[in-house]
Amino acid sequence: MEFEKEVKYLTKKERRKIPLQHMPEMAPEIRKDCFDEVTLGYSLHEAQMEAARCIQCKDPACVAGCPVGINIPKFLEEIVEGDLDSSIDTVWDKTALPAVCGRVCPQEIQCEIVCVVGKKKGVEPVAIGNLEMFIADWARASGIKNNPAIPPSTGKKIAVVGSGPAGITVAGDLAKKGHKVTIYEALHRAGGVLLYGIPEFRLAKDIVDYELDALRDLGVEIKCNQVIGRTIDIDELLEEYGYDAVFVGVGAGLPNFLNIPGEDLNGVFSANEYLTRANLMKAFDFPNVDTPIIAGRKVAILGAGNVAMDAARTAVRLGAKSVNIVYRRTRAQSPSRHIEIHHAEEEGVNFHFLRSPIEFIGDASGRLVGVSCQVMELGEPDEGGRQRPIPVGDEHQYIDCDLAIIAIGTSANPLLTNVTEGLELNRWGNIQADPKTGKTTKDKVWAGGDITLGQATVILAMGMGRDAATSIDEYLKTK
Amino acid sequence: MYEVVAREEMADGEIVSNEILAPQIAKKAKPGQFVIMIANERGERVPLTMAKVDKEKGTITVIYMVVGKSTRLFSSIKVGEGFRDVVGPLGSPTHIEKKDGTVICIGGGTALAVLHPITKAYFEAGNRVITIVGARTAKHLILEDEMRAVSTEFHICTDDGSKGYHGFGTDVMEQVIAKEKIAEVVAIGPVPMMKYTSSLTKKHGIPTVVSLNPIMIDGTGMCGGCRVTIDGKTKFACVDGPEFDGHQVDFDGLIRRLQAYNLEERCSDNEYCKLND
């Protein structure tokens, strides 16, 4: 749809006629063979058209739906006005990572689901996530950095453990208050799950590096190769290193396995390992890099969450002939974002629902050749109201595969919590933290992200990071 | 960068020792723990158990056999140059205590580098320590003097008989077991050697500790690549180990998993050797 005048001069009535602006994407047959980003981003005109679909509610539900409370109508209207400098400032006011959030936030269950525009039958809500991606990418391409005025140094020092979304948010927020922040990262590169977990084709790694550089510009120091709990303990950080507070955002990095026979066969991976090889270690470029990966000709992915989709689509790009997602529940029950399933299907990934893996089969040399699955059906709802899958007699399906990737979630990694006294855990091993402030049971220690929530999302980790930063700042003021 | 402050070649350059400046790690390191090292920007993460730690100088020493691309890269690093990354100390330390009876420390090849600090710790804890070291040939025997210095009784074995007993260390171990009460055996070496040692000690009912070296990436429990089967249960060598009860380890599974990337490793090594010919 085209208008004779610039978008900002459209009347309310004209604005309401604008259809959803679809995100331009690389064609499946091309993107299947490379790791480049699938989403190409809006042009300025597309962004202005999409932003103009916002009806500027007086009491915007989208802002309440956003875990970090971005003033969405404001940044959208600033895009419409063509005042992109103000728009990115509006976004930066609440999030340090708009380029990341625009790409990986589940907007469809947060800001977009409550969008009034989308309440009308047959009309899509405003594509807020796409617009966040647009404005962040525009700022990056224009070399515009988030340079907030930083108050004079408070002389207070904070250690942030983990450089994932929670840690980045805490570090950014506290640095902006004039505190000295140091991030300790266990791996040899910073970024946490944004780096090792989320593939390049969904989130280009130069975006993560750019966001981390922005953090360094705020005076945050990032130290890699520091396994807190081994290299340094939390008590040492507080006592010997003299930190006034510590934030723990180490993620939920302990992969769950199925505990079925054959799980130790060569060719069976946790999604964490497979994705770490591909993303952090860039094994797709082997032998130009030294870390190998088993590409797999026939691949089975066990599980159907976002990580499963990432693993499946990575396998496609590494040249697999067939990639099969095996899930014991139904499509409707899949915890994955709809867009991820859609992208995977476009790329030729097959889905086998109501199939529960019961055994990995290997050859004489211990290499995986297939996985045997029990056929399931939906039974009675469980306590959570979700229908539980139950076996259908002894009906089985055998799936040929030389690579199987287990993507059934992660648990709390006990490495740090086991050696830290005074840090109370819940029964799943997650750190107990006040849901409003992130304060733990240990003096001067806060926590947030997956290590407290169990498995969640980037944005929820960021939201907790924001709350913890506020709480830490308040605490430091009293000191 | 983690600077190499001293470098030594053994067995005509087949085995290399690097002393690396890493004060933070040196301060915390205990016997039995390992580090993960990366040579350069494109390097892989390689776990190596520390052979020596000098807390005063702030250095750690690793000893490795040059067998593939990564170890070739490591061995090409000169004194004054360094590794891109060294992280640690990782893994659980060896549980050292005064035992009621003799401790046998048995090992072979470059694994003697791992066995040495553990032997030393047992010896210094007041144990009677009988050490049995093995190597392919006399030339490949490392740390002889160091091991002898921390042993109550010391035996050398070589596969070709060029030094000490001609044969396997396990033969010597059986002779020792026949003579006195053994409280514990620590066996560290090639997987088949640990497997055989464990099966022998199981017969005699002697508790046995082995140190495993599966393929690993992060070393913090995050990837699960280093999983080993212990008493039928899945354990991660990086956080639950690297030391385990030798009687409970599924060694055949470990041997299989260690071969997962044989082809890729050869390919990588060939490419590297061609380039540097």
Side-chain angles (χ1 to χ4, degrees), chain B residues 242-259:
Chain B
E243 291 176 9
F244 292 101
D245 176 349
H247 298 160
Q248 298 190 336
V249 174
D250 172 11
F251 286 104
D252 294 335
L254 174 63
I255 290 170
R256 260 197 338 252
R257 287 184 65 78
L258 281 168
Q259 292 166 346

Side-chain angles (χ1 to χ4, degrees), chain A residues 213-260:
Chain A
D213 278 340
L215 214 54
R216 290 189 186 96
D217 290 344
L218 294 174
V220 174
E221 192 182 350
I222 304 176
K223 293 186 172 186
C224 289
N225 295 326
Q226 307 280 321
V227 184
I228 304 304
R230 292 272 197 255
T231 317
I232 311 171
D233 298 334
I234 287 192
D235 284 325
E236 286 173 314
L237 288 174
L238 289 168
E239 285 149 32
E240 284 177 41
Y241 288 68
Y243 286 103
D244 299 290
V246 173
F247 174 82
V248 179
V250 294
L254 193 77
N256 295 337
F257 283 90
L258 289 157
N259 297 316
I260 60 174

